[in-house]
Amino acid sequence: MIVDFFRDSCIIKMATGTVDNDGLEVFSTVYSGVCTLQIGGTGETSLDGISYKSGSIVALPYTTTILAVNDVITVTTLEERVFTGT
């Protein structure tokens, strides 16, 4: 049985450095396609007095898309749940 790893869809947008007539930042789409959202752990792990927190990961297939800090990513899961973040 073959399982499709990239079961979700993503849109990644990057700021263009301009604003529209209403003063809102303008974005351009740099990636639109398949991805996988992997939700991180629900708790904290303590090691030698240092706390580590788990976060979520978005995995993309190999692509030449160049990502930057503060790009906006919107993930729509197979179950139609929508997550947005930077």
Side-chain angles (χ1 to χ4, degrees):
M1 176 171 85
I2 297 174
V3 177
D4 186 8
F5 180 75
F6 299 108
R7 62 180 189 266
D8 305 322
S9 63
C10 291
I11 298 174
I12 302 174
K13 295 183 178 186
M14 181 180 288
T16 63
T18 60
V19 294
D20 63 14
N21 292 335
D22 295 323
L24 301 173
E25 195 168 23
V26 176
F27 290 86
S28 64
T29 300
V30 294
Y31 179 82
S32 179
V34 296
C35 65
T36 294
L37 175 64
Q38 297 177 344
I39 304 294
T42 58
E44 295 182 2
T45 302
S46 181
L47 177 62
D48 294 331
I50 301 173
S51 290
Y52 296 94
K53 291 185 180 181
S54 299
S56 298
I57 295 172
V58 175
L60 302 172
Y62 178 77
T63 178
T64 57
T65 301
I66 297 174
L67 304 177
V69 174
N70 293 329
D71 283 356
V72 176
I73 183 167
T74 302
V75 178
T76 303
T77 67
L78 187 62
E79 297 81 21
E80 300 297 323
R81 294 185 65 193
V82 178
F83 297 88
T84 300
T86 55

